[in-house]
Amino acid sequence: MEPRDDAEAGPALAAFTEHERRETGKAVFVYTSYHGDVGPPPPPPPPLPPVRVGVDEPDDSGGSSALSSVFVMANSTVGAGVLSLPFAFQATGLLGGILLCFVVGTAEALTLYVLAKFAERYEATTYVELVRRALGRKLAAVLSGVLVVAMFGACLAYMIILADNFSSLASAAGLPAWATDRHHIIAVLGTFVMLPMCLP
């Protein structure tokens, strides 16, 4: 019988320590002791990312800041809802307005629940990122275009509302006619208020 090398025997013999080996003409006698199954060696640790000195790393936490959340909530609360709810109640009556608010609120709650569940599944932190991961880059680009058009229309609507309010205030204050013209007010608001806010 040929002697076996421990390296060729594999990890099975790695748990045995050989103390003595005797070879005769008929057999090989090996005296060993067992010290447990050590098993295969552990895998090497993953490499660490390179450290860039003097470079600020981007924040990967995702989500929105508290200030941006407050502005979004204020826009949703004091925005189109405040302006459209009185007209809706005037057109449908008290009972119809309450029923309409309940139906719309239920639909919005269900929509937000579905979006939140899919955002958790796809680990998305923004609406556009969720659409990109779930439906692809093309539909995400279409959604971005729709959002741009919607925000542009909302800015125009708010500018018109502000111009009407400022025009009424200027007339009540007895300002000159050029200061009460809504076209002039829209131009001033768009150039010196809305444009600087949109540039960042």
Side-chain angles (χ1 to χ4, degrees), residues 15-43:
F16 293 89
T17 301
E18 182 178 334
H19 299 286
E20 185 180 354
R21 179 187 293 264
R22 293 183 182 178
E23 297 183 9
T24 64
K26 295 182 179 180
V28 177
F29 298 93
V30 180
Y31 299 92
T32 62
S33 62
Y34 180 75
H35 55 83
D37 186 9
V38 295

Side-chain angles (χ1 to χ4, degrees), residues 152-177:
F152 182 76
C155 287
L156 289 180
Y158 287 131
M159 284 180 60
I160 293 173
I161 294 170
L162 287 175
D164 291 339
N165 291 331
F166 277 111
S167 178
S168 300
L169 290 175
S171 299
L175 296 179

Side-chain angles (χ1 to χ4, degrees), residues 34-198:
Y34 180 75
H35 55 83
D37 186 9
V38 295
L48 296 176
V51 178
R52 295 181 294 176
V53 180
V55 178
D56 294 334
E57 294 293 333
D59 186 13
D60 295 334
S61 60
S64 302
S65 65
L67 184 61
S68 63
S69 300
V70 168
F71 275 109
V72 170
M73 184 63 68
N75 180 42
S76 301
T77 305
V78 191
V82 173
L83 303 174
S84 60
L85 276 178
F87 176 77
F89 273 86
Q90 181 183 6
T92 59
L94 179 61
L95 183 61
I98 295 175
L99 181 62
L100 186 63
C101 286
F102 177 77
V103 172
V104 173
T106 303
E108 289 184 352
L110 179 62
T111 303
L112 292 176
Y113 174 78
V114 172
L115 287 176
K117 286 299 181 182
F118 273 91
E120 289 179 358
R121 176 180 298 180
Y122 289 99
E123 297 181 354
T125 56
T126 63
Y127 187 36
V128 177
E129 182 182 359
L130 173 61
V131 174
R132 182 174 67 250
R133 293 186 178 183
L135 303 175
R137 293 183 177 275
K138 293 182 179 180
L139 287 180
V142 172
L143 174 65
S144 298
V146 171
L147 290 177
V148 168
V149 173
M151 294 300 103
F152 182 76
C155 287
L156 289 180
Y158 287 131
M159 284 180 60
I160 293 173
I161 294 170
L162 287 175
D164 291 339
N165 291 331
F166 277 111
S167 178
S168 300
L169 290 175
S171 299
L175 296 179
W178 62 269
T180 60
D181 189 1
R182 63 194 304 269
H183 296 91
H184 295 163
I185 297 176
I186 289 176
V188 172
L189 289 176
T191 304
F192 298 103
V193 178
M194 300 297 292
L195 182 59
M197 293 178 63
C198 293

